[in-house]
Amino acid sequence: MFKWKKQISVCLCMLMATLILFGGCTKKEPTPSSTTPQSKENNQSATQKTDQKTDDKTEALEPYDLIWYTIGTPQRDSKMVMEELSKYTKEKINSNIDMRLIDWGDYTQKMQILISSGEPFDITFTCSWANDYLGNATKGAFVELSELLDTYGKGTKELLHPGFFKGAE
C-alpha cells in the first residue's frame, strides 16, 4: 500500500513540475492602458489579430511529440491522463506528450542504455538515486537549457526558487 502511494506522489510531483515549466510558455493578454470604450475596442481588435496569426502558425506546424521517460509502474488510467495532458499541451504549445514509464527496479539501467545509445527523448526524471543527474550532466548527456529558458521561458525563473536552478548547474 505504501509503495503505491509513493509512486502516485512521485508521478503527481513530476506532473506539477512539468506544468509549472509549461506555464512559463503561456501568453499573457495585454492590459488596457485606459478604460475608454474606444481603447478597449482597439485592444480587442489587436488581440484578435495576434491570436489569428498565432493560430495560423500553429495550424501550419505539425504537433511535436514530447517523449518523457519517468520512473514508476503504469497505472490503470495513465493513458487517459496523458491524452488529457496532450490536449492541453497541444492547445498551449502545439505538442503531444508521450510518457514512457519504466519500472522502479529497471529505471536507472534502462535510462543509461537509452542515453548511451543516443536514443532521442525530451524529458527524463533524474535524481541522485535514479538515473544519476550529476554523473549524466558531467558526461554531457543533457542539453544546456539556460539560454533557451532566458529566451523562451520568460517568467519561469521568477516562479521557481533560485536554488532549483543553482542545483541544476
Side-chain angles (χ1 to χ4, degrees), residues 41-88:
E41 188 175 297
N42 289 342
N43 281 336
Q44 287 175 347
S45 175
T47 302
Q48 288 172 348
K49 288 179 185 176
T50 304
D51 288 344
Q52 186 177 15
K53 288 179 187 176
T54 304
D55 290 342
D56 292 343
K57 288 179 186 176
T58 304
E59 289 176 13
L61 297 174
E62 288 291 317
Y64 181 80
D65 291 333
L66 287 169
I67 299 171
W68 175 12
Y69 282 99
T70 191
I71 193 168
T73 307
Q75 303 296 313
R76 276 187 294 137
D77 55 356
S78 294
K79 186 175 180 180
M80 184 175 63
V81 170
M82 288 300 105
E83 287 172 359
E84 288 300 313
L85 180 61
S86 288
K87 285 180 189 176
Y88 178 79

Side-chain angles (χ1 to χ4, degrees), residues 4 9 69 98:
W4 180 78
S9 298
Y69 282 99
D98 179 8

